[in-house]
């Protein structure tokens, strides 16, 4: 029996966001516009350097789940936090937003709750410095059978591929969801993650999943090519539904024997954090409510445009009203 429209597995990361100009980034040795993994001591230095802080529950798939939940559908999130201040904040924030946070904070965990220090520069670029902490320890024992088998859609975060136990958690969740008649998909997350685990990604996409969402750099990385069209065709041959976001060049969707190339309106970002995550939220909402694939893509584009118009990785307005205004409902 379906209890959740969408359940997902990902890093449970508290995002700590502040503004910073390019000279500050240079001073602190922060590489602009990318996500860098850092160690705990570096995280403490960067946190202390923040003069203002917006603290919000984050993590790529968690942001997607929050977006779908904000659209009124039942959601659940599988992730690990420590029973510390940030972990309790994270779990409570997810619950307050209407998402079941199905794993209780761990009181005796050796690692602290994950956090990402995000510096937003005047051009809207975000420079992310992420200490993964306890999230990296997620394994199959953290996947409740009664959650995974009760999900219409299961969405997985590629970042967790860096440990074998994360891969096993993905396989278990996908098999439980699909075995109960649901669909499972993955957010590829990062081309460098693909570089580290290409064979496992391709095996998962080809044998364990129903859909994949990635950007053009992630899709081309799967096949070690600069030829996007070739990579799209190869991926589409492996899976029922492929979604490739291409920033200002729109979105390509291949599924049901058809291809849709959907343009986007150019928006000057205030903060690009969460754009891909909220695109996925709008797209999955469309799938769950049985819209055609082109409409799903347009819903995703609207959600991405909304989230980059303000600081923070989650929507601040009623996106169903935006869908209605655009003639998508």
């Amino acid at each position: 029996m379906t209890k959740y429209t969408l359940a997902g597995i990902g890093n449970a990361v508290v995002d700590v966001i502040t503004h910073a100009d390019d000279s500050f980034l240079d001073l602190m040795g922060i590489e602009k516009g990318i996500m860098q993994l850092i160690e705990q001591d570096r995280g403490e230095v960067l946190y202390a350097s923040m003069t203002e802080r917006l603290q919000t529950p984050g993590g790529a798939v968690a942001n997607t789940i929050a977006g779908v939940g904000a659209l009124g559908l039942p959601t659940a999130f599988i992730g690990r936090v420590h029973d510390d201040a940030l972990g309790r904040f994270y779990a409570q924030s997810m619950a307050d937003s209407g998402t079941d946070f199905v794993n209780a904070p761990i009181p005796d965990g050796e690692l602290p709750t994950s956090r990402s220090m995000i510096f937003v520069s005047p051009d809207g670029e975000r420079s992310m410095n992420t200490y993964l902490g306890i999230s990296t320890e997620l394994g199959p024992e953290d996947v409740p059978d009664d959650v995974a088998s009760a999900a219409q859609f299961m969405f997985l975060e590629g970042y967790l591929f860096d440990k074998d136990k994360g891969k096993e958690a993905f396989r278990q969740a996908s098999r439980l969801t699909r075995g109960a008649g649901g669909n499972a998909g993955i957010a590829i997350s990062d081309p460098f993650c693909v570089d580290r685990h290409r064979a496992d990604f391709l095996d998962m996409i080809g044998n364990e999943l129903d859909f994949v969402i990635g950007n053009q750099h992630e899709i081309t990385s799967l096949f070690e090519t600069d030829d996007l069209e070739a990579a799209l065709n190869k991926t589409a041959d492996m899976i029922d539904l492929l979604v490739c976001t291409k920033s200002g060049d729109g979105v390509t969707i291949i599924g049901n024997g058809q291809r849709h190339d959907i343009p986007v309106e150019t928006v000057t970002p205030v903060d690009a954090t969460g754009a891909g995550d909220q695109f996925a939220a709008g797209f999955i909402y469309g799938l769950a409510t049985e819209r055609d694939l082109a409409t799903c893509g347009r819903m995703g584009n609207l959600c991405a445009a909304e989230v980059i118009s303000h600081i923070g990785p989650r929507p601040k307005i009623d996106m169903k009203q935006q869908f209605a205004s655009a003639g998508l409902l």
Side-chain angles (χ1 to χ4, degrees):
M1 179 179 176
T2 299
K3 180 179 179 181
Y4 302 108
T5 299
L6 177 64
I9 301 177
N11 286 308
V13 183
V14 177
D15 287 339
V16 187
I17 306 171
T18 193
H19 287 96
D21 58 23
D22 288 356
S23 62
F24 177 87
L25 299 181
D26 289 340
L27 176 68
M28 298 301 294
I30 297 168
E31 191 166 348
K32 183 177 178 179
I34 67 166
M35 192 280 286
Q36 288 183 296
L37 295 178
I38 58 174
E39 296 301 324
Q40 186 173 358
D41 56 351
R42 170 71 167 163
E44 291 170 356
V45 169
L46 293 181
Y47 184 84
S49 75
M50 294 172 140
T51 55
E52 58 179 85
R53 302 183 185 99
L54 171 66
Q55 190 170 286
T56 179
V61 162
N63 289 336
T64 297
I65 286 170
V68 172
L71 286 161
L73 300 180
T75 55
F77 181 67
I78 299 165
R80 286 173 69 92
V81 297
H82 193 178
D83 188 13
D84 52 20
L86 286 180
R88 291 188 292 272
F89 163 80
Y90 192 98
Q92 189 61 51
S93 296
M94 292 294 281
D96 289 347
S97 68
T99 291
D100 282 355
F101 188 77
V102 301
N103 306 89
I106 299 167
D108 55 354
E110 294 181 5
L111 298 172
T113 295
S114 309
R115 73 285 311 269
S116 182
M117 276 61 67
I118 302 174
F119 297 86
V120 182
S121 42
D123 58 3
E125 280 286 352
R126 82 271 195 240
S127 307
M128 306 173 68
N129 301 266
T130 303
Y131 170 61
L132 287 176
I134 199 169
S135 280
T136 61
E137 297 303 310
L138 187 139
E141 69 278 3
D142 296 305
V143 180
D145 289 10
D146 59 348
V147 173
S149 60
Q152 181 183 356
F153 292 94
M154 173 63 69
F155 197 40
L156 311 171
E157 183 178 312
Y159 285 126
L160 283 172
F161 253 57
D162 271 327
K163 287 200 174 181
D164 288 342
K165 62 174 69 175
K167 297 169 191 171
E168 287 305 312
F170 281 5
R171 292 187 182 98
Q172 177 171 315
S174 175
R175 289 168 185 173
L176 285 167
T177 298
R178 298 176 88 200
N183 291 277
I186 195 167
I188 297 179
S189 297
D190 184 83
F192 300 109
C193 194
V194 174
D195 288 340
R196 294 191 294 271
H197 306 284
R198 184 169 288 105
D200 286 318
F201 266 106
L202 290 172
D203 177 70
M204 191 92 190
I205 291 169
N207 297 306
E208 304 279 1
L209 299 172
D210 303 289
F211 66 97
V212 61
I213 299 177
N215 65 34
Q216 61 197 48
H217 307 296
E218 294 157 1
I219 299 297
T220 53
S221 180
L222 284 172
F223 298 98
E224 298 181 90
T225 179
D226 293 326
D227 187 338
L228 177 59
E229 286 301 312
L232 288 172
N233 290 333
K234 287 181 178 180
T235 310
D237 285 343
M238 298 174 65
I239 198 158
D240 293 341
L241 177 58
L242 165 64
V243 184
C244 177
T245 59
K246 298 176 290 185
S247 190
D249 293 327
V251 179
T252 295
I253 303 167
I254 303 175
N256 299 333
Q258 296 182 317
R259 172 170 172 158
H260 307 272
D261 291 290
I262 301 167
V264 294
E265 292 185 24
T266 301
V267 178
T268 301
V270 173
D271 172 18
T273 309
D277 309 337
Q278 293 310 320
F279 171 86
F283 186 86
I284 292 171
Y285 174 84
L287 287 181
T289 54
E290 300 183 344
R291 267 63 184 186
D292 62 80
L293 292 179
T295 299
C296 293
R298 294 186 181 99
M299 287 177 163
N301 285 344
L302 281 177
C303 289
E306 189 280 333
V307 80
I308 67 174
S309 70
H310 57 76
I311 296 291
R314 299 186 177 185
K316 290 189 173 181
I317 61 175
D318 185 345
M319 289 309 301
K320 288 180 80 170
Q321 289 186 358
Q322 299 299 304
F323 294 164
S325 297
L328 301 179
L329 293 180

